Amino acid sequence: VPSGSGGRVPSGSGGLRSSALERRGLLAEGEVYAGKYELLHEIARGGMGAVYKARQVDLNKVVALKVMLAGAVATADQRSRFKREAEAAARLQHPNIVPVFDIDEVDGNLYFTQEFVSGQPLSKRKAALRPDQLRDVMILVCEGVQHAHAHGIIHRDLKPDNIMMDAADVPKIMDFGLAKQVDLVDEAG
């Protein structure tokens, strides 16, 4: 991988690179993934996957595409955790939670798409916020967390790096990779 390339591998083919590169999340700009997502550039990489800014070709819509790093060689536990992240966020409809749009797989390699949030994580924005602004941000984060809890989902990894601040400084909770589904107790019964 060329130095300074952000983990991207140039490709003139416009298609998928070798399965070894796909497994490691090293997909190239301009490639079309899963037949419908044009990769614009890699934006993040974590323990489970690489995240790309992509354009959903059929809708001409910019999305965040998360591709599982282990690919087709992922263990059952890794696949379960990756699916759990997508499914947990997909069940939640709240203005302060990044929504998931789609989950699927290509040649045994799981991926999902979610809203692309143009901004920075709270970890990079918090120093620029006044105390009253930070308080207001945290109130919105708490509302998002409460919504998740009301639907039986515990995030378990809430931190400033997992809260994106959009261009209007509205926080959006993301990365439900460690989320846990809990059974809700019916207080009426």
Side-chain angles (χ1 to χ4, degrees), residues 26-44:
L26 299 174
L27 302 174
E29 291 178 21
E31 291 187 28
V32 176
Y33 189 78
K36 59 183 174 181
Y37 299 106
E38 176 189 4
L39 302 178
L40 302 175
H41 62 88
E42 185 176 313
I43 54 177

Side-chain angles (χ1 to χ4, degrees), residues 4 31 33 39 41 66 68 89 96 98 102 106 117 119 141 147 157 163 168 173 176 179:
E31 291 187 28
Y33 189 78
L39 302 178
H41 62 88
K66 186 169 187 176
M68 190 171 189
N96 301 110
V98 176
D102 185 27
V106 174
V117 180
V141 168
H147 179 80
D157 193 25
I163 301 168
I173 302 166
F176 282 76

